[in-house]
Amino acid sequence: MLRLIAFVFLSLLHAFPALAACGAGPDLEQFLTPAEKDAIAAIEDETANSTGTLWQATRDGRSVYIVGTMHLPDPRHSVAMAALRPILREVDALYLETASDGAAQMQSQIASDPSIIFAADAGTPTLPELLDDATWQQLRDAMAARGFPAPLTAKMRPWYVSMMLSIPPCAMDTMTSVVGGLDKMVERAALALDKPVRSLEDWQTIFSTFSDIPYQEQVDIMALSIMPDEVSEAAFTATLDAYFEERHARSWGLSEVLSHRIPGLTAEQIEAESARMQDLLLDRRNQNWLPVILDAVRDEDILVAVGAAHLIGENGLVALLENAGFALTRLPL
């Protein structure tokens, strides 16, 4: 689950060659059993609005355009941008999960208060103290492959380690550029047209969500993110490919199925943690964003650009807007 949801945070990624290097790895299909392939297909079939990246919702003469983004740089985003530029000229405002001003505040706050991602509280155990030796060694090696030395990893908050483990080593050197993904490209285009850019939520929301999870549960979630690097790289590439095929429920299915490979946790524990993360990071946020969108569309047409995972399912934004009386049309890219 975290392997997919972590893309919410990945808005500052760098050169295309690193992503291409990930794409040069093994095909994920060779790692999947027939049963796993069937399970992924079933998730795609059963998920509401499982496909589609660009939608238009209309009600009372007003329009909400919704585009599902991937917060990673890729030359294939040019296709979406060609469709979005005319929409940006038409709408009155752009809404993002967190606009650049909020992201800048986040970076500044982390720099001034490292306890956001490091457990500096007195008495808080380090990760080696929480894990058995074999699991710590596996975690230590996985983080070292991503450029984090063991003493630093030992003090990180488990939810942050989960995010880092969601990125394969081949893509870690993409973390320092301002190229950005589709959300940043859309934001730059909107600003060039002098369109207002607004946030659907405060940048602190997502950090507060993680911080409110009991520490041991954070550790359990972190365990779900440990995966052999070759599988991680193949899953990363497969997730990107599914996004550009507009098969967003497939990305979700990959994450769900691969999570069941984690040793030491029962299927029931994995499903419970996955459901909890979906509720915290997707469903609740979608519900909180809906009033913001409905209030805005009373007076103006808007474009909403959010991670593609927020579009799918019964609690996705597409379904929520349809339930609110909007007529939904999937638009071609």
Side-chain angles (χ1 to χ4, degrees):
M1 178 67 66
L2 261 288
R3 195 163 304 280
L4 173 63
I5 302 304
F7 287 132
V8 170
F9 305 91
L10 304 182
S11 59
L12 296 179
L13 297 170
H14 163 110
F16 301 142
L19 295 177
C22 288
D27 186 343
L28 182 64
E29 290 292 312
Q30 74 181 58
F31 295 104
L32 298 174
T33 67
E36 288 174 329
K37 293 176 184 178
D38 289 344
I40 292 167
I43 290 172
E44 286 193 80
D45 290 341
E46 296 166 2
T47 301
N49 305 310
S50 63
T51 61
T53 297
L54 181 60
W55 297 78
Q56 181 181 13
T58 58
R59 189 184 73 177
D60 300 330
R62 288 293 184 185
S63 289
V64 179
Y65 294 91
I66 312 168
V67 61
T69 64
M70 173 66 81
H71 312 306
L72 298 162
D74 194 294
R76 291 172 286 183
H77 286 315
S78 61
V79 175
M81 285 304 301
L84 291 171
R85 286 191 180 94
I87 293 173
L88 280 169
R89 288 192 287 268
E90 175 187 333
V91 299
D92 300 296
L94 168 66
Y95 282 77
L96 301 171
E97 296 176 36
T98 303
S100 287
D101 56 352
Q105 293 173 18
M106 175 186 69
Q107 294 166 8
S108 176
Q109 186 65 27
I110 291 173
S112 62
D113 182 12
S115 68
I116 293 175
I117 59 175
F118 291 100
D121 307 332
T124 301
T126 63
L127 295 183
E129 294 170 334
L130 287 168
L131 302 169
D132 61 72
D133 289 344
T135 303
W136 164 244
Q137 289 175 14
Q138 186 181 11
L139 178 66
R140 178 198 63 195
D141 293 346
M143 290 294 282
R146 290 158 174 80
F148 296 97
L152 199 63
T153 297
K155 298 179 181 179
M156 286 181 176
R157 296 194 181 276
W159 65 262
Y160 186 75
V161 175
S162 298
M163 284 169 41
M164 295 300 100
L165 290 174
S166 74
I167 311 165
C170 63
M172 284 303 297
D173 64 354
T174 68
M175 289 289 290
T176 58
S177 171
V178 295
V179 173
L182 183 60
D183 53 334
K184 298 304 177 186
M185 296 171 70
V186 173
E187 182 176 25
R188 288 193 293 268
L191 292 173
L193 292 169
D194 292 324
K195 301 288 185 175
V197 178
R198 301 169 184 147
S199 296
L200 289 168
E201 66 186 11
D202 186 276
W203 69 266
Q204 294 176 319
T205 300
I206 198 68
F207 288 92
S208 298
T209 297
F210 276 116
S211 297
D212 289 342
I213 300 174
Y215 207 77
Q216 185 56 51
E217 287 190 39
Q218 292 185 36
V219 174
D220 293 340
I221 293 167
M222 180 179 66
L224 295 178
S225 301
I226 302 174
M227 185 179 292
D229 286 339
E230 62 178 3
V231 179
S232 177
E233 292 178 11
F236 184 88
T237 301
T239 298
L240 286 176
D241 290 344
Y243 170 78
F244 288 106
E245 293 168 1
E246 302 190 53
R247 298 171 64 187
H248 306 309
R250 176 170 175 77
S251 297
W252 194 259
L254 289 169
S255 175
E256 288 286 299
V257 168
L258 291 174
S259 292
H260 283 269
R261 292 189 175 196
I262 305 302
L265 293 176
T266 67
E268 291 75 16
Q269 288 174 308
I270 291 170
E271 289 168 5
E273 290 298 344
S274 293
R276 179 174 175 82
M277 288 300 97
Q278 178 176 340
D279 178 57
L280 288 174
L281 299 182
L282 293 179
D283 295 351
R284 290 192 194 181
R285 294 171 71 208
N286 290 345
Q287 291 284 354
N288 290 337
W289 294 346
L290 184 62
V292 179
I293 294 170
L294 296 180
D295 184 62
V297 79
R298 288 194 184 98
D299 301 313
E300 55 190 15
D301 296 327
I302 64 172
L303 170 61
V304 175
V306 295
H310 290 281
L311 274 58
I312 64 174
E314 295 179 356
N315 295 307
L317 286 178
V318 173
L320 292 179
L321 286 169
E322 189 169 30
N323 292 339
F326 286 79
L328 270 294
T329 303
R330 179 179 169 180
L331 302 178
L333 289 181

